[in-house]
Amino acid sequence: MSESSHLSPGGVEGTMRWEPSWNGTRHSRGREPFVSGGAVLPTQPAFGRRVRDLRRRAGMSQAELAGPELSASYVSLLENGKRVPSPEVVAEIAKRLRVAPRSLLGEDAGLPAPGTGPLTSDGGSTAGTGRTDLVGLLFRAGRDEEEGASKRAAEQLTAFLDEHGDGPHRDLLWEVRWSLARIHGGSGRVEESRLLLRHLLDDEYTRSSTERLERVARRLAELGLRNGSLVDGLRFAQLAWTLAEPHQEASVAVRAGTVLVNACAWSGHQRWGREVADALVARISDEVPWQQRSAAYRESARLCLLTDDYPQARIWFECALRQIDPQQDINSWAEAQYYLSIAEFLVDQGLDERAAERLTRARPVIEVLGHTSMLVHLAVLEGHLALRRGEHEQARLMADAAVDAGPWPAVHEVGVNLLWTARIYAALGDTATATTVYRRAAELCEQGGTMHFCAYAWRELAELTATRSVSHDRHD
């Protein structure tokens, strides 16, 4: 868009200006669209519902839909029926969603109007090409996914690729592969998801857009970190951050930076990670969605734990907790309570009681959710708290529970948890069990790529062995 037609939420500068008031619009909010100068303005909240539905099916965030001309917060207001946009804003949103503007305006136009088809990348119509039917198939798959029928959605999208995978419609093929990769990743089909994302990464259509390239790189990084591939996690997280950090939309940079901080924390690049964390926290504002704000503070605080900066970790964990409304996301609330209790445990022994109280509040939620990783984290921390209180039997029970829980895909996390568990056995004087657990921790840390934790495990095992040898010599 040229500078002369720069969009604002109220209209186009220099041509016309229509501004809603903060207490509602100046115009009628009845069921009939308002007409201004021959232009039809959308009816709310139906318009907002359609925008949200199309955005989600396209796999876009509010910030990505907003682009440089609008803001994520304004898109949120549109979707919630609290703002009525100008015709120019409607046209711009339709262009980004690749649909005809009238498909957003009509009361019954949930999909592109028959015979028009979505817009191509150059703004042309796709009528007569069969694209409308294919878009309908893509939307139906998205609806199935939202309703919990992910398997059926994946089958529909796979069939779409089988039939049209070599077709000329690059934009639709991109969206199909993106959606299918997301579904596979969420249903545990990691390799299928990775292959699709790698295909997108090498696609010329992806590389023609910084926005698309950042999305694919970030998703690959997240997939690697969740499934024990730290090399991929770090490499793609760095790419995503490099693309997103200069972005004027804070939420884009915050989302990519959060993934990179997580990758740096686990892969041993703590100094680099701290630099990114400081830059990340500086970009946090009220315009960034609360979920992203909380995640950014949490990952930055976790990195501080690894660099022994426990006071700063506690500050950022408290910030993370303040962003969360437990009625909206009880899972994140429980996780934040747990991590804050770790920081309090490490900062000062005088905070043990407060840490124990947080764990008491978080445990019922974590048990109901049934996440293996969080249950193991919880058992390890409770074991250390019991050890500090002198409750040795309880400490052993918690350590045994952590060992018996079994692994999960992120082997680097499993290894680190076993390292902390081995420390409980060592403190209890159970050298034989501690040795076994230390060795297993070192193996998993090496397998997962967390070489600094692997080194910790071998060093502590050597110290334990040396202490045991000295004790035996004195006894003899």
mmCIF file with all atom_site columns, all heavy atoms in Angstrom, residues 392-409:
data_model
loop_
_atom_site.group_PDB
_atom_site.id
_atom_site.type_symbol
_atom_site.label_atom_id
_atom_site.label_alt_id
_atom_site.label_comp_id
_atom_site.label_asym_id
_atom_site.label_entity_id
_atom_site.label_seq_id
_atom_site.pdbx_PDB_ins_code
_atom_site.Cartn_x
_atom_site.Cartn_y
_atom_site.Cartn_z
_atom_site.occupancy
_atom_site.B_iso_or_equiv
_atom_site.pdbx_formal_charge
_atom_site.auth_seq_id
_atom_site.auth_comp_id
_atom_site.auth_asym_id
_atom_site.auth_atom_id
_atom_site.pdbx_PDB_model_num
ATOM 1   N N   . HIS A 1 392 ? 13.007 -37.516 55.615 1.00 0.00 ? 392 HIS A N   1
ATOM 2   C CA  . HIS A 1 392 ? 13.758 -38.347 54.676 1.00 0.00 ? 392 HIS A CA  1
ATOM 3   C C   . HIS A 1 392 ? 12.898 -39.413 53.998 1.00 0.00 ? 392 HIS A C   1
ATOM 4   O O   . HIS A 1 392 ? 13.090 -39.708 52.809 1.00 0.00 ? 392 HIS A O   1
ATOM 5   C CB  . HIS A 1 392 ? 14.941 -38.980 55.405 1.00 0.00 ? 392 HIS A CB  1
ATOM 6   C CG  . HIS A 1 392 ? 15.984 -37.979 55.805 1.00 0.00 ? 392 HIS A CG  1
ATOM 7   N ND1 . HIS A 1 392 ? 17.089 -38.309 56.566 1.00 0.00 ? 392 HIS A ND1 1
ATOM 8   C CD2 . HIS A 1 392 ? 16.078 -36.639 55.572 1.00 0.00 ? 392 HIS A CD2 1
ATOM 9   C CE1 . HIS A 1 392 ? 17.820 -37.226 56.777 1.00 0.00 ? 392 HIS A CE1 1
ATOM 10  N NE2 . HIS A 1 392 ? 17.217 -36.209 56.187 1.00 0.00 ? 392 HIS A NE2 1
ATOM 11  N N   . GLU A 1 393 ? 11.971 -39.985 54.713 1.00 0.00 ? 393 GLU A N   1
ATOM 12  C CA  . GLU A 1 393 ? 11.130 -41.009 54.110 1.00 0.00 ? 393 GLU A CA  1
ATOM 13  C C   . GLU A 1 393 ? 10.254 -40.421 53.006 1.00 0.00 ? 393 GLU A C   1
ATOM 14  O O   . GLU A 1 393 ? 10.070 -41.034 51.939 1.00 0.00 ? 393 GLU A O   1
ATOM 15  C CB  . GLU A 1 393 ? 10.261 -41.659 55.186 1.00 0.00 ? 393 GLU A CB  1
ATOM 16  C CG  . GLU A 1 393 ? 9.622  -42.977 54.760 1.00 0.00 ? 393 GLU A CG  1
ATOM 17  C CD  . GLU A 1 393 ? 10.658 -44.037 54.391 1.00 0.00 ? 393 GLU A CD  1
ATOM 18  O OE1 . GLU A 1 393 ? 11.738 -44.068 55.031 1.00 0.00 ? 393 GLU A OE1 1
ATOM 19  O OE2 . GLU A 1 393 ? 10.385 -44.803 53.447 1.00 0.00 ? 393 GLU A OE2 1
ATOM 20  N N   . GLN A 1 394 ? 9.698  -39.239 53.271 1.00 0.00 ? 394 GLN A N   1
ATOM 21  C CA  . GLN A 1 394 ? 8.883  -38.569 52.252 1.00 0.00 ? 394 GLN A CA  1
ATOM 22  C C   . GLN A 1 394 ? 9.732  -38.187 51.044 1.00 0.00 ? 394 GLN A C   1
ATOM 23  O O   . GLN A 1 394 ? 9.286  -38.307 49.895 1.00 0.00 ? 394 GLN A O   1
ATOM 24  C CB  . GLN A 1 394 ? 8.219  -37.317 52.845 1.00 0.00 ? 394 GLN A CB  1
ATOM 25  C CG  . GLN A 1 394 ? 7.348  -36.534 51.884 1.00 0.00 ? 394 GLN A CG  1
ATOM 26  C CD  . GLN A 1 394 ? 6.096  -37.298 51.466 1.00 0.00 ? 394 GLN A CD  1
ATOM 27  O OE1 . GLN A 1 394 ? 5.725  -38.292 52.081 1.00 0.00 ? 394 GLN A OE1 1
ATOM 28  N NE2 . GLN A 1 394 ? 5.454  -36.844 50.400 1.00 0.00 ? 394 GLN A NE2 1
ATOM 29  N N   . ALA A 1 395 ? 10.951 -37.737 51.308 1.00 0.00 ? 395 ALA A N   1
ATOM 30  C CA  . ALA A 1 395 ? 11.851 -37.383 50.201 1.00 0.00 ? 395 ALA A CA  1
ATOM 31  C C   . ALA A 1 395 ? 12.121 -38.593 49.320 1.00 0.00 ? 395 ALA A C   1
ATOM 32  O O   . ALA A 1 395 ? 12.124 -38.499 48.081 1.00 0.00 ? 395 ALA A O   1
ATOM 33  C CB  . ALA A 1 395 ? 13.158 -36.821 50.755 1.00 0.00 ? 395 ALA A CB  1
ATOM 34  N N   . ARG A 1 396 ? 12.335 -39.751 49.937 1.00 0.00 ? 396 ARG A N   1
ATOM 35  C CA  . ARG A 1 396 ? 12.589 -40.962 49.166 1.00 0.00 ? 396 ARG A CA  1
ATOM 36  C C   . ARG A 1 396 ? 11.347 -41.362 48.347 1.00 0.00 ? 396 ARG A C   1
ATOM 37  O O   . ARG A 1 396 ? 11.464 -41.778 47.189 1.00 0.00 ? 396 ARG A O   1
ATOM 38  C CB  . ARG A 1 396 ? 12.996 -42.108 50.083 1.00 0.00 ? 396 ARG A CB  1
ATOM 39  C CG  . ARG A 1 396 ? 13.240 -43.434 49.348 1.00 0.00 ? 396 ARG A CG  1
ATOM 40  C CD  . ARG A 1 396 ? 13.687 -44.516 50.297 1.00 0.00 ? 396 ARG A CD  1
ATOM 41  N NE  . ARG A 1 396 ? 15.009 -44.242 50.824 1.00 0.00 ? 396 ARG A NE  1
ATOM 42  C CZ  . ARG A 1 396 ? 16.151 -44.508 50.172 1.00 0.00 ? 396 ARG A CZ  1
ATOM 43  N NH1 . ARG A 1 396 ? 16.103 -45.058 48.961 1.00 0.00 ? 396 ARG A NH1 1
ATOM 44  N NH2 . ARG A 1 396 ? 17.307 -44.238 50.713 1.00 0.00 ? 396 ARG A NH2 1
ATOM 45  N N   . LEU A 1 397 ? 10.181 -41.237 48.943 1.00 0.00 ? 397 LEU A N   1
ATOM 46  C CA  . LEU A 1 397 ? 8.954  -41.575 48.221 1.00 0.00 ? 397 LEU A CA  1
ATOM 47  C C   . LEU A 1 397 ? 8.796  -40.711 46.967 1.00 0.00 ? 397 LEU A C   1
ATOM 48  O O   . LEU A 1 397 ? 8.430  -41.206 45.900 1.00 0.00 ? 397 LEU A O   1
ATOM 49  C CB  . LEU A 1 397 ? 7.739  -41.393 49.130 1.00 0.00 ? 397 LEU A CB  1
ATOM 50  C CG  . LEU A 1 397 ? 7.533  -42.449 50.226 1.00 0.00 ? 397 LEU A CG  1
ATOM 51  C CD1 . LEU A 1 397 ? 6.392  -42.038 51.145 1.00 0.00 ? 397 LEU A CD1 1
ATOM 52  C CD2 . LEU A 1 397 ? 7.240  -43.818 49.591 1.00 0.00 ? 397 LEU A CD2 1
ATOM 53  N N   . MET A 1 398 ? 9.084  -39.422 47.090 1.00 0.00 ? 398 MET A N   1
ATOM 54  C CA  . MET A 1 398 ? 8.971  -38.518 45.954 1.00 0.00 ? 398 MET A CA  1
ATOM 55  C C   . MET A 1 398 ? 10.015 -38.846 44.889 1.00 0.00 ? 398 MET A C   1
ATOM 56  O O   . MET A 1 398 ? 9.733  -38.818 43.688 1.00 0.00 ? 398 MET A O   1
ATOM 57  C CB  . MET A 1 398 ? 9.124  -37.068 46.413 1.00 0.00 ? 398 MET A CB  1
ATOM 58  C CG  . MET A 1 398 ? 7.976  -36.556 47.278 1.00 0.00 ? 398 MET A CG  1
ATOM 59  S SD  . MET A 1 398 ? 6.384  -36.507 46.396 1.00 0.00 ? 398 MET A SD  1
ATOM 60  C CE  . MET A 1 398 ? 5.620  -38.009 47.012 1.00 0.00 ? 398 MET A CE  1
ATOM 61  N N   . ALA A 1 399 ? 11.253 -39.166 45.327 1.00 0.00 ? 399 ALA A N   1
ATOM 62  C CA  . ALA A 1 399 ? 12.303 -39.522 44.370 1.00 0.00 ? 399 ALA A CA  1
ATOM 63  C C   . ALA A 1 399 ? 11.943 -40.809 43.628 1.00 0.00 ? 399 ALA A C   1
ATOM 64  O O   . ALA A 1 399 ? 12.113 -40.908 42.405 1.00 0.00 ? 399 ALA A O   1
ATOM 65  C CB  . ALA A 1 399 ? 13.642 -39.680 45.099 1.00 0.00 ? 399 ALA A CB  1
ATOM 66  N N   . ASP A 1 400 ? 11.434 -41.794 44.367 1.00 0.00 ? 400 ASP A N   1
ATOM 67  C CA  . ASP A 1 400 ? 11.022 -43.048 43.728 1.00 0.00 ? 400 ASP A CA  1
ATOM 68  C C   . ASP A 1 400 ? 9.902  -42.806 42.711 1.00 0.00 ? 400 ASP A C   1
ATOM 69  O O   . ASP A 1 400 ? 9.885  -43.403 41.625 1.00 0.00 ? 400 ASP A O   1
ATOM 70  C CB  . ASP A 1 400 ? 10.556 -44.051 44.783 1.00 0.00 ? 400 ASP A CB  1
ATOM 71  C CG  . ASP A 1 400 ? 11.696 -44.565 45.659 1.00 0.00 ? 400 ASP A CG  1
ATOM 72  O OD1 . ASP A 1 400 ? 12.868 -44.385 45.272 1.00 0.00 ? 400 ASP A OD1 1
ATOM 73  O OD2 . ASP A 1 400 ? 11.412 -45.137 46.735 1.00 0.00 ? 400 ASP A OD2 1
ATOM 74  N N   . ALA A 1 401 ? 8.968  -41.933 43.072 1.00 0.00 ? 401 ALA A N   1
ATOM 75  C CA  . ALA A 1 401 ? 7.852  -41.624 42.162 1.00 0.00 ? 401 ALA A CA  1
ATOM 76  C C   . ALA A 1 401 ? 8.368  -40.979 40.880 1.00 0.00 ? 401 ALA A C   1
ATOM 77  O O   . ALA A 1 401 ? 7.877  -41.276 39.780 1.00 0.00 ? 401 ALA A O   1
ATOM 78  C CB  . ALA A 1 401 ? 6.852  -40.708 42.853 1.00 0.00 ? 401 ALA A CB  1
ATOM 79  N N   . ALA A 1 402 ? 9.367  -40.107 41.005 1.00 0.00 ? 402 ALA A N   1
ATOM 80  C CA  . ALA A 1 402 ? 9.922  -39.446 39.827 1.00 0.00 ? 402 ALA A CA  1
ATOM 81  C C   . ALA A 1 402 ? 10.621 -40.441 38.908 1.00 0.00 ? 402 ALA A C   1
ATOM 82  O O   . ALA A 1 402 ? 10.491 -40.379 37.673 1.00 0.00 ? 402 ALA A O   1
ATOM 83  C CB  . ALA A 1 402 ? 10.901 -38.354 40.252 1.00 0.00 ? 402 ALA A CB  1
ATOM 84  N N   . VAL A 1 403 ? 11.360 -41.384 39.500 1.00 0.00 ? 403 VAL A N   1
ATOM 85  C CA  . VAL A 1 403 ? 12.079 -42.385 38.708 1.00 0.00 ? 403 VAL A CA  1
ATOM 86  C C   . VAL A 1 403 ? 11.101 -43.344 38.040 1.00 0.00 ? 403 VAL A C   1
ATOM 87  O O   . VAL A 1 403 ? 11.279 -43.739 36.877 1.00 0.00 ? 403 VAL A O   1
ATOM 88  C CB  . VAL A 1 403 ? 13.080 -43.154 39.591 1.00 0.00 ? 403 VAL A CB  1
ATOM 89  C CG1 . VAL A 1 403 ? 13.668 -44.341 38.824 1.00 0.00 ? 403 VAL A CG1 1
ATOM 90  C CG2 . VAL A 1 403 ? 14.193 -42.235 40.068 1.00 0.00 ? 403 VAL A CG2 1
ATOM 91  N N   . ASP A 1 404 ? 10.042 -43.720 38.747 1.00 0.00 ? 404 ASP A N   1
ATOM 92  C CA  . ASP A 1 404 ? 9.094  -44.720 38.234 1.00 0.00 ? 404 ASP A CA  1
ATOM 93  C C   . ASP A 1 404 ? 8.120  -44.154 37.199 1.00 0.00 ? 404 ASP A C   1
ATOM 94  O O   . ASP A 1 404 ? 7.410  -44.925 36.541 1.00 0.00 ? 404 ASP A O   1
ATOM 95  C CB  . ASP A 1 404 ? 8.290  -45.323 39.391 1.00 0.00 ? 404 ASP A CB  1
ATOM 96  C CG  . ASP A 1 404 ? 9.173  -46.141 40.335 1.00 0.00 ? 404 ASP A CG  1
ATOM 97  O OD1 . ASP A 1 404 ? 10.265 -46.549 39.899 1.00 0.00 ? 404 ASP A OD1 1
ATOM 98  O OD2 . ASP A 1 404 ? 8.770  -46.341 41.506 1.00 0.00 ? 404 ASP A OD2 1
ATOM 99  N N   . ALA A 1 405 ? 8.071  -42.820 37.073 1.00 0.00 ? 405 ALA A N   1
ATOM 100 C CA  . ALA A 1 405 ? 7.065  -42.215 36.183 1.00 0.00 ? 405 ALA A CA  1
ATOM 101 C C   . ALA A 1 405 ? 7.322  -42.517 34.716 1.00 0.00 ? 405 ALA A C   1
ATOM 102 O O   . ALA A 1 405 ? 6.409  -42.494 33.902 1.00 0.00 ? 405 ALA A O   1
ATOM 103 C CB  . ALA A 1 405 ? 7.023  -40.706 36.397 1.00 0.00 ? 405 ALA A CB  1
ATOM 104 N N   . GLY A 1 406 ? 8.575  -42.817 34.381 1.00 0.00 ? 406 GLY A N   1
ATOM 105 C CA  . GLY A 1 406 ? 8.881  -43.108 32.983 1.00 0.00 ? 406 GLY A CA  1
ATOM 106 C C   . GLY A 1 406 ? 9.166  -41.853 32.190 1.00 0.00 ? 406 GLY A C   1
ATOM 107 O O   . GLY A 1 406 ? 8.969  -40.727 32.666 1.00 0.00 ? 406 GLY A O   1
ATOM 108 N N   . PRO A 1 407 ? 9.634  -42.022 30.942 1.00 0.00 ? 407 PRO A N   1
ATOM 109 C CA  . PRO A 1 407 ? 10.047 -40.881 30.126 1.00 0.00 ? 407 PRO A CA  1
ATOM 110 C C   . PRO A 1 407 ? 8.891  -40.215 29.395 1.00 0.00 ? 407 PRO A C   1
ATOM 111 O O   . PRO A 1 407 ? 7.769  -40.698 29.401 1.00 0.00 ? 407 PRO A O   1
ATOM 112 C CB  . PRO A 1 407 ? 11.027 -41.512 29.134 1.00 0.00 ? 407 PRO A CB  1
ATOM 113 C CG  . PRO A 1 407 ? 10.471 -42.891 28.938 1.00 0.00 ? 407 PRO A CG  1
ATOM 114 C CD  . PRO A 1 407 ? 9.893  -43.300 30.270 1.00 0.00 ? 407 PRO A CD  1
ATOM 115 N N   . TRP A 1 408 ? 9.177  -39.087 28.746 1.00 0.00 ? 408 TRP A N   1
ATOM 116 C CA  . TRP A 1 408 ? 8.268  -38.433 27.812 1.00 0.00 ? 408 TRP A CA  1
ATOM 117 C C   . TRP A 1 408 ? 9.121  -37.927 26.657 1.00 0.00 ? 408 TRP A C   1
ATOM 118 O O   . TRP A 1 408 ? 10.358 -38.023 26.703 1.00 0.00 ? 408 TRP A O   1
ATOM 119 C CB  . TRP A 1 408 ? 7.468  -37.321 28.506 1.00 0.00 ? 408 TRP A CB  1
ATOM 120 C CG  . TRP A 1 408 ? 8.266  -36.234 29.163 1.00 0.00 ? 408 TRP A CG  1
ATOM 121 C CD1 . TRP A 1 408 ? 8.683  -35.055 28.603 1.00 0.00 ? 408 TRP A CD1 1
ATOM 122 C CD2 . TRP A 1 408 ? 8.741  -36.202 30.526 1.00 0.00 ? 408 TRP A CD2 1
ATOM 123 N NE1 . TRP A 1 408 ? 9.368  -34.301 29.512 1.00 0.00 ? 408 TRP A NE1 1
ATOM 124 C CE2 . TRP A 1 408 ? 9.422  -34.981 30.701 1.00 0.00 ? 408 TRP A CE2 1
ATOM 125 C CE3 . TRP A 1 408 ? 8.650  -37.087 31.603 1.00 0.00 ? 408 TRP A CE3 1
ATOM 126 C CZ2 . TRP A 1 408 ? 10.013 -34.622 31.908 1.00 0.00 ? 408 TRP A CZ2 1
ATOM 127 C CZ3 . TRP A 1 408 ? 9.246  -36.727 32.795 1.00 0.00 ? 408 TRP A CZ3 1
ATOM 128 C CH2 . TRP A 1 408 ? 9.908  -35.505 32.947 1.00 0.00 ? 408 TRP A CH2 1
ATOM 129 N N   . PRO A 1 409 ? 8.512  -37.440 25.577 1.00 0.00 ? 409 PRO A N   1
ATOM 130 C CA  . PRO A 1 409 ? 9.291  -37.167 24.361 1.00 0.00 ? 409 PRO A CA  1
ATOM 131 C C   . PRO A 1 409 ? 10.479 -36.235 24.539 1.00 0.00 ? 409 PRO A C   1
ATOM 132 O O   . PRO A 1 409 ? 11.503 -36.410 23.876 1.00 0.00 ? 409 PRO A O   1
ATOM 133 C CB  . PRO A 1 409 ? 8.246  -36.556 23.414 1.00 0.00 ? 409 PRO A CB  1
ATOM 134 C CG  . PRO A 1 409 ? 6.959  -37.152 23.856 1.00 0.00 ? 409 PRO A CG  1
ATOM 135 C CD  . PRO A 1 409 ? 7.077  -37.271 25.346 1.00 0.00 ? 409 PRO A CD  1
#
